[in-house]
Amino acid sequence: PIVKEVIEESSNALNENLFKLIDDGPEEKLNLTINTQPAMLTCSLAIWKLFLSNCPSCIPGYFAGHSLGEYSALTAANAFKLTDAVELVRYRAHIMQSITSPGDCGMVAVIGLNLELIQGICEEVNDEYLLNGAETHFPKIVEVANINSYKQIVLSGAREALDTTIEKLNKLGGNVRIVKLPVSAPFHSSILRPIESLLAKKLDLLNIRKPQIPTLANYHAEVYGSVEEIRRILPKQAHSVVRWKASIDRMLDMGVKVFVEC
């Protein structure tokens, strides 16, 4: 009943039957960013509420969420109403998708190389494209999007530049593993910078509350200090690096010993 209530609430807000979409698809429709993001947020919240109902004394000291998960974390912390949150992430997905055409951009996970080496290769590729006068309206061609661990880094950018970067990384040899991610937009890259102002305007229309449980931001790996900071930083989060390793390290520094993933 708890899960059903959460999914029905989101379905009504979106005018979309999420039960049917998740169970029956078609998969192509579910995989559209505008559907995936609200569906994931809804399921995360359902899992959180189910967890809490089974363990009502398990109130966390902090919340954090990776990329889209930051919206789930803020909603779990009661900064957003669920209905506002799913409408917000659908809007976010729509404007993210509108910046580029399908196939123009992408993301890859690089496993087994350190950050400094990967950043060096990205700068090399970007310099080559600029020197060759490559026509592009993108402010950067390929760049680090997620720092997930010491040796798991995600890159985001223009498809051609990503392919060039992959070639250079593969030539380094060793135990390097590169995984292309099934995404349709260059998330957390400066290519998406134009959506910052649109997202800020949307957030200005919402009633946002200070999180009841301290919540960390991907942008700076620190706890949000105020509603004003949420309004200011969330629009930047879409085109900035997800500092996930730094967020986990920060929580460890603050004494966190147990992590529960919803």
Side-chain angles (χ1 to χ4, degrees):
I2 290 170
V3 171
K4 183 181 179 184
E5 183 181 343
V6 172
I7 296 180
E8 282 182 346
E9 189 176 347
S10 288
S11 296
N12 291 335
L14 296 170
N15 196 27
E16 177 86 53
N17 186 336
L18 289 181
F19 287 110
K20 188 173 188 305
L21 182 61
I22 292 167
D23 280 349
D24 301 332
E27 191 173 350
E28 294 76 21
K29 184 179 179 183
L30 181 60
N31 284 343
L32 291 173
T33 304
I34 57 168
N35 293 325
T36 307
Q37 293 201 14
M40 285 182 66
L41 185 147
T42 299
C43 290
S44 296
L45 260 290
I47 292 165
W48 158 244
K49 291 197 172 186
L50 188 61
F51 168 77
L52 199 58
S53 72
N54 287 319
C55 188
S57 63
C58 295
I59 305 299
Y62 301 93
F63 274 125
H66 185 286
S67 188
L68 171 68
E70 185 170 324
Y71 287 78
S72 304
L74 285 165
T75 307
N78 291 317
F80 293 119
K81 290 194 304 183
L82 176 59
T83 50
D84 285 346
V86 291
E87 289 176 357
L88 175 62
V89 298
R90 171 161 277 184
Y91 175 75
R92 175 179 180 262
H94 172 72
I95 58 177
M96 278 180 158
Q97 194 64 69
S98 69
I99 294 293
T100 60
S101 300
D104 280 356
C105 298
M107 300 179 76
V108 297
V110 183
I111 301 155
L113 292 175
N114 65 55
L115 176 63
E116 292 74 19
L117 185 57
I118 293 168
Q119 283 177 323
I121 297 291
C122 289
E123 287 169 12
E124 188 180 306
V125 172
N126 290 338
D127 288 345
E128 285 175 9
Y129 274 79
L130 290 171
L131 285 171
N132 292 332
E135 290 185 12
T136 175
H137 61 282
F138 302 151
K140 281 189 179 178
I141 296 169
V142 60
E143 57 202 322
V144 171
N146 306 347
I147 305 172
N148 292 331
S149 73
Y150 180 64
K151 288 198 173 177
Q152 207 244 57
I153 312 293
V154 175
L155 304 180
S156 182
R159 180 70 62 188
E160 187 179 346
L162 277 172
D163 289 343
T164 303
T165 305
I166 290 168
E167 286 177 23
K168 288 180 178 288
L169 292 170
N170 280 329
K171 286 177 182 176
L172 296 174
N175 296 319
V176 183
R177 192 155 68 92
I178 296 171
V179 181
K180 289 187 178 182
L181 304 182
V183 297
S184 52
F187 302 126
H188 301 289
S189 77
S190 52
I191 293 170
L192 296 183
R193 192 182 298 276
I195 77 168
E196 181 179 334
S197 59
L198 297 172
L199 203 49
K201 288 176 183 175
K202 182 73 170 177
L203 284 161
D204 282 343
L205 300 174
L206 297 182
N207 177 29
I208 305 174
R209 299 171 292 270
K210 186 172 180 180
Q212 291 179 355
I213 293 171
T215 303
L216 280 84
N218 291 171
Y219 181 74
H220 55 24
E222 296 287 348
V223 170
Y224 278 113
S226 65
V227 169
E228 291 69 29
E229 192 178 20
I230 294 173
R231 293 190 193 279
R232 179 172 58 84
I233 285 181
L234 266 188
K236 297 180 186 298
Q237 185 248 32
H239 63 79
S240 300
V241 177
V242 174
R243 300 185 64 209
W244 190 243
K245 180 182 182 300
S247 298
I248 298 297
D249 288 343
R250 182 74 183 107
M251 286 187 280
L252 291 169
D253 289 343
M254 293 188 292
V256 175
K257 298 195 186 314
V258 176
F259 291 81
V260 176
E261 181 182 3
C262 293

